[in-house]
Amino acid sequence: MIPLLKRDLALAVRAGGGFGLGLAFFLIVVTLVPFAVGPQSELLGRIAPGILWLGALLACLLSLDRILALDWEDGSLDLLATAPLPMEGIVSVKALAHWLTTGLPLVIAAPVFGVLLNLAAPGFFWLTLSLLLGTPALSVIGTFGAALTVGLKRGGLLLSLLVLPLYVPTLIFGAEVARRGAEGMGVETPLMMLAGISLAVIALLPFASAAVLRVNLR
Amino acid sequence: MILQADTLTVTRGGIPVLEEVSFDLPPERALVLRGPNGIGKTTLLRTVAGLQPPLKGTLTGAEDRVAYAAHADGLKSTLTVAENLTFWARVFGRDEIAPALSAYELDALQTRAAGQLSAGQKRRLGLARLMVTGRPVWVLDEPTVSLDRDAVGLFAAAVRAHLAAGGAALIATHIDLGLDGDALDVSQFRARPQAHDDFDEVFL
Amino acid sequence: MTSIWEYANPKKFIDTSDRVIPALWVLSLGTLAIGLIWGFFFTPDDYRQGSTVKIFYLHVPAALMAINAWFMMLVASLIWIIRRHHVSALAARAAAPVGMVMTLIALLTGAIWGQPMWGTWWAWDPRLTSFLILFLFYLGYIALWAAIENDDTAADLTSVLCLVGSVFAVLSRYAVNFWNQGLHQGASMSLDAEENVADVFWWPALVAMAGFVLLFLLLVLIRTQTEIRARRMRALLARERMQ
């Protein structure tokens, strides 16, 4: 497991690995929003939690098809499947590597982008916390989508179509934590739900991902 | 017996291609699979490697003992030769890559990124990967593609060394490698078309 | 006593459904006609909603079938995963477009009903939103079936997607409820419905629902037959290529 994680991280930061692309995409989305809705700082502050969550989600989506497709193309996936690693472990490590290279940078950058969108002061903490709890779920669900579409030539669009509906609960509770936090309301319920979804997804979904990956390797 | 196949039926795209395949592979022997293109050698090898389940029959001794190599070498172009090999060694819980590097004369290329290698050099690196797995059964699908004469010699020597150390190899190839072992023509196992009247059968 | 799994044999399934389908045509269209004509022409207008309430005879059964179709796909997917009967996987595939159209009917009739009632075609009410999400699930499921060439692979992958999707659909329902409390009236057609809806509306609605169930059955049977024949054709062609 550890060598696989190390290799994936090394691949991500080397030339052509795509590290930072998600972050750049996130920045662009945040930059474009005021052009679309107008520069009034009161309006921007009100929609900031939702926009930041949506931007993070789309940035995450952008890199999902790299999780497994590259290993599929060069045959690594076949060879990994014959290695003494459980398939569930492989997909979990893949999801973890995706989170470390895409999700975590988004979490760290989100407060900075919050400034651009005039996020209310109490919102920074809750936005960061909700992203920290929610983005792992996005990576794990995304890995499931990637495992479903790994054998398809133009699977990218289909991957989005399959994964986005699965993102609905995470997005709702995550954005709700950030919004309520920014408005100074209680956040316990959505926070618990968000954490619950993340934990359940991390614990259970790798079994489904491994099952579909085995089918695709057949 | 290190590997044993007993009346194996293998399928491609849900349709049987080879049936009743039986063979024994003792230690220190190689079994070379022969047969025309498209007969199902790749499918059989993928089944032995555990990538797909057989439709019928049993396969003993394959579990966690097979090192598989096919057309794609599983190399990452931005990693160096040594990094690629070390990764696969670690995945199989091992560490040493020096013997594999020297067996395929890759020492001088150690720090070269795999993406800058020629096709034949990549192939050599892909085959060197077999040595770092420490697995006793090598399952090889057309291993000599894009290898020149000298490299084929290196490969044959590596297989002989592997057999001498008590390993075994199942190889689909058209080249005579001069190995100590038998040839098996898989055309004889070609799946017979089933009767068309049984509706359920035609789904398989 | 013959086992129900005998019908998992495609030939047996086609033979039996061939005999059932004509009767189902008559039964489903007859029941639908009775329910809808009764509901549209022989029930009084609602004292608040006027005659607009009558779209309810399309809206509620369609919404019911939108969910039940997914549930049927879930059961069929489980049967495929556990027992690997091809007919089961193909029935799930056949049901998906029917369920999607039912969802679309529920959404459209809801919009047409909502316009005079709430003064808007669309509101992000939890029920409406949930059906929109369900529609997206159907889209993804159908798209995945269409994208994969190998039938068994497609059946396996879509079955797992259906299972995982079901869990997420339920999760989404709760999430959406939490997110917006909404203006949709409560479930007026549950079994204790007498409290909410008077008998005069209840009986024709029940008939209309029975009609939708029968129509769904009929369409799924016909479509499953088509899928079975298409699957058989592909298998025969593949076999021919190999000889």
Side-chain angles (χ1 to χ4, degrees):
Chain A
M1 300 295 174
I2 306 292
L4 181 58
L5 182 64
K6 277 189 186 158
R7 185 201 67 162
D8 273 15
L9 295 181
L11 286 174
V13 296
R14 291 207 183 166
F19 180 76
L21 275 183
L23 211 53
F25 178 81
F26 193 18
L27 174 64
I28 289 170
V29 170
V30 168
T31 312
L32 289 181
V33 167
F35 298 146
V37 304
Q40 301 87 348
S41 45
E42 186 266 337
L43 171 67
L44 286 176
R46 201 147 39 86
I47 60 172
I51 296 296
L52 290 167
W53 248 94
L54 194 61
L57 186 149
L58 292 176
C60 202
L61 187 73
L62 200 65
S63 49
L64 287 184
D65 60 345
R66 299 180 67 95
I67 296 181
L68 296 169
L70 298 178
D71 278 349
W72 165 272
E73 282 161 18
D74 64 22
S76 304
L77 217 47
D78 276 349
L79 302 178
L80 279 173
T82 58
L85 302 177
M87 195 66 98
E88 288 78 7
I90 293 173
V91 292
S92 297
V93 167
K94 286 274 165 192
L96 177 61
H98 178 259
W99 183 72
L100 287 174
T101 54
T102 309
L104 192 60
L106 294 176
V107 175
I108 295 167
V112 182
F113 296 166
V115 175
L116 291 179
L117 290 181
N118 193 35
L119 183 67
F124 284 89
F125 173 73
W126 296 112
L127 173 75
T128 313
L129 182 67
S130 66
L131 282 173
L132 190 63
L133 287 176
T135 44
L138 299 183
S139 289
V140 175
I141 297 171
T143 306
F144 172 65
L148 273 175
T149 54
V150 70
L152 300 172
K153 287 206 180 56
R154 278 174 293 279
L157 201 59
L158 179 64
L159 175 62
S160 309
L161 181 62
L162 296 177
V163 162
L164 284 176
L166 301 178
Y167 276 174
V168 168
T170 315
L171 174 64
I172 286 181
F173 289 118
E176 193 72 4
V177 170
R179 187 184 66 80
R180 290 192 178 197
E183 292 174 6
M185 294 155 67
V187 298
E188 285 83 11
T189 320
L191 198 62
M192 297 298 275
M193 291 302 292
L194 182 66
I197 287 176
S198 271
L199 289 178
V201 158
I202 291 168
L204 300 176
L205 207 55
F207 292 99
S209 312
V212 295
L213 196 52
R214 275 194 210 99
V215 170
N216 266 326
L217 287 177
R218 240 173 16 206
Chain B
M1 251 355 109
I2 201 162
L3 183 74
Q4 207 161 19
D6 185 26
T7 59
L8 222 52
T9 300
V10 298
T11 62
R12 181 172 57 217
I15 296 164
V17 285
L18 297 174
E19 60 186 6
E20 307 267 313
V21 181
S22 298
F23 60 81
D24 294 333
L25 188 55
E28 301 181 26
R29 303 284 284 180
L31 184 62
V32 174
L33 300 182
R34 301 206 187 271
N37 291 330
I39 189 73
K41 295 189 296 290
T42 295
T43 311
L44 179 59
L45 292 177
R46 286 181 72 85
T47 309
V48 172
L51 288 167
Q52 56 182 72
L55 185 66
K56 289 183 201 127
T58 51
L59 189 67
T60 37
E63 185 95 354
D64 282 337
R65 288 169 77 190
V66 167
Y68 173 71
H71 312 282
D73 291 313
L75 302 176
K76 292 295 174 187
S77 55
T78 51
L79 298 185
T80 66
V81 168
E83 280 171 328
N84 268 300
L85 219 46
T86 308
F87 164 67
W88 285 111
R90 298 238 165 98
V91 163
F92 285 85
R94 297 163 66 89
D95 234 6
E96 204 171 39
I97 62 164
L101 282 174
S102 54
Y104 285 94
E105 293 177 359
L106 290 164
D107 304 88
L109 301 169
Q110 269 197 67
T111 54
R112 185 89 65 88
Q116 295 165 355
L117 299 181
S118 73
Q121 288 168 332
K122 278 184 190 160
R123 192 74 208 156
R124 268 151 61 195
L125 179 53
L127 292 170
R129 187 186 54 81
L130 293 165
M131 296 181 65
V132 304
T133 63
R135 291 272 173 98
V137 184
W138 288 2
V139 173
L140 313 178
D141 194 357
E142 300 289 358
T144 54
V145 171
S146 62
L147 289 185
D148 60 24
R149 188 192 299 262
D150 293 343
V152 170
L154 291 177
F155 166 67
V159 176
R160 268 194 295 273
H162 175 66
L163 299 182
L170 186 63
I171 309 173
T173 182
H174 297 286
I175 294 183
D176 184 20
L177 295 165
L179 296 173
D180 193 13
D182 316 302
L184 179 70
D185 188 354
V186 295
S187 326
Q188 57 180 308
F189 302 118
R190 186 183 175 138
R192 292 178 300 275
Q194 288 116 336
H196 276 214
D197 52 351
D198 190 340
F199 208 133
D200 206 22
E201 283 294 302
V202 87
F203 276 67
L204 297 172
Chain C
M1 187 66 199
T2 53
S3 157
I4 183 172
W5 301 118
E6 272 188 22
Y7 298 98
N9 177 303
K11 193 165 167 51
K12 174 101 175 157
F13 179 89
I14 287 205
D15 287 349
T16 314
S17 50
D18 264 343
R19 266 177 279 136
V20 175
I21 283 172
L24 258 183
W25 268 111
V26 177
L27 213 60
S28 64
L29 291 187
T31 317
L32 259 186
I34 293 172
L36 292 182
I37 291 171
W38 186 359
F40 286 156
F41 299 110
F42 300 97
T43 55
D45 288 353
D46 185 83
Y47 71 98
R48 278 183 300 125
Q49 306 190 11
S51 56
T52 51
V53 76
K54 292 186 172 179
I55 202 165
F56 157 101
Y57 297 106
L58 281 176
H59 178 68
V60 174
L64 186 79
M65 290 323 294
I67 296 169
N68 286 356
W70 185 274
F71 187 70
M72 185 228 123
M73 284 156 52
L74 174 62
V75 173
S77 299
L78 279 173
I79 294 175
W80 162 251
I81 290 175
I82 297 166
R83 298 191 59 114
R84 305 202 78 74
H85 293 312
H86 291 89
V87 172
S88 185
L90 295 175
R93 178 180 192 171
V98 184
M100 187 173 79
V101 171
M102 291 290 180
T103 315
L104 199 58
I105 293 175
L107 284 169
L108 290 178
T109 53
I112 294 167
W113 193 5
Q115 215 288 325
M117 284 302 305
W118 304 331
T120 174
W121 296 103
W122 180 261
W124 288 94
D125 163 271
R127 271 175 193 249
L128 275 66
T129 312
S130 300
F131 270 85
L132 190 58
I133 296 171
L134 182 63
F135 185 74
L136 296 179
F137 275 107
Y138 275 119
L139 271 184
Y141 179 87
I142 293 168
L144 187 61
W145 260 113
I148 303 167
E149 272 177 44
N150 183 302
D151 287 286
D152 279 1
T153 306
D156 281 330
L157 298 186
T158 53
S159 296
V160 178
L161 177 66
C162 185
L163 249 66
V164 172
S166 302
V167 175
F168 276 87
V170 173
L171 255 179
S172 304
R173 179 84 181 97
Y174 282 107
V176 165
N177 261 341
F178 175 83
W179 161 80
N180 188 355
Q181 306 305 331
L183 39 78
H184 197 286
Q185 55 187 288
S188 49
M189 290 308 294
S190 59
L191 285 176
D192 57 339
E194 281 88 338
E195 292 166 27
N196 299 321
V197 181
D199 279 358
V200 273
F201 302 114
W202 170 241
W203 286 110
L206 214 57
V207 178
M209 280 195 274
F212 265 80
V213 172
L214 291 169
L215 181 68
F216 173 75
L217 261 179
L218 171 70
L219 293 175
V220 170
L221 280 184
I222 294 174
R223 291 185 50 83
T224 308
Q225 283 197 339
T226 313
E227 295 290 351
I228 289 174
R229 287 177 175 135
R231 173 85 161 82
R232 179 172 157 82
M233 188 184 72
R234 283 193 295 273
L236 288 173
L237 284 174
R239 175 173 296 177
E240 211 162 78
R241 272 199 306 276
M242 296 185 63
Q243 277 159 17

